[in-house]
Amino acid sequence: GWDVLVAALPALVEGGASLVLLGDGDPALAEQLREAATRWPRHVHVTIGWDEALARRVYAGADCLLAPSRFEPCGLVQLLGQRYGTLPIAHRVGGFVDTIEDGVEAFDRFR
């Protein structure tokens, strides 16, 4: 799903979003993300690879967590994000279905 994020980056940044991207994967996508960080240095930060301490700082400081996986058998990222109070945003697939509750549906139950 990172390809979707790469395509959406211009609109997100122009809309005022700031993004911190941490992880690894497809080298071509990583290069596109690095280019985005160069293009918008005040709005996009990219760290390719994994850094547990940085990840926890990102979880703690972010408003939301994008998990664009098209397939996710379990998913710990959204659980860690929620532990830090970060709203997870993900496709309705795999382990995300079991661990992320739609806020609108949850809100409607308590009205």
Side-chain angles (χ1 to χ4, degrees), residues 13-59:
V13 171
E14 290 167 14
S18 293
L19 294 100
V20 175
L21 305 160
L22 172 63
D24 57 13
D26 182 286
L29 287 174
E31 184 55 33
Q32 291 177 353
L33 293 170
R34 283 189 192 101
E35 290 170 7
T38 300
R39 181 175 177 189
W40 299 293
R42 300 190 73 168
H43 296 278
V44 178
H45 174 82
V46 175
T47 297
I48 304 300
W50 187 249
D51 180 328
E52 184 68 27
L54 177 58
R56 291 182 182 275
R57 291 195 332 252
V58 171
Y59 294 138

Side-chain angles (χ1 to χ4, degrees), residues 76-101:
L76 296 176
V77 170
Q78 78 280 7
L79 295 174
L80 287 165
Q82 290 176 92
R83 173 94 169 128
Y84 282 85
T86 305
L87 176 69
I89 301 170
H91 291 283
R92 194 170 180 78
V93 297
F96 293 151
V97 174
D98 299 328
T99 58
I100 300 173
E101 190 169 349

Side-chain angles (χ1 to χ4, degrees), residues 101-111:
E101 190 169 349
D102 185 315
V104 174
E105 292 172 8
F107 180 77
D108 287 344
R109 275 200 317 272
F110 293 106
R111 285 201 284 177

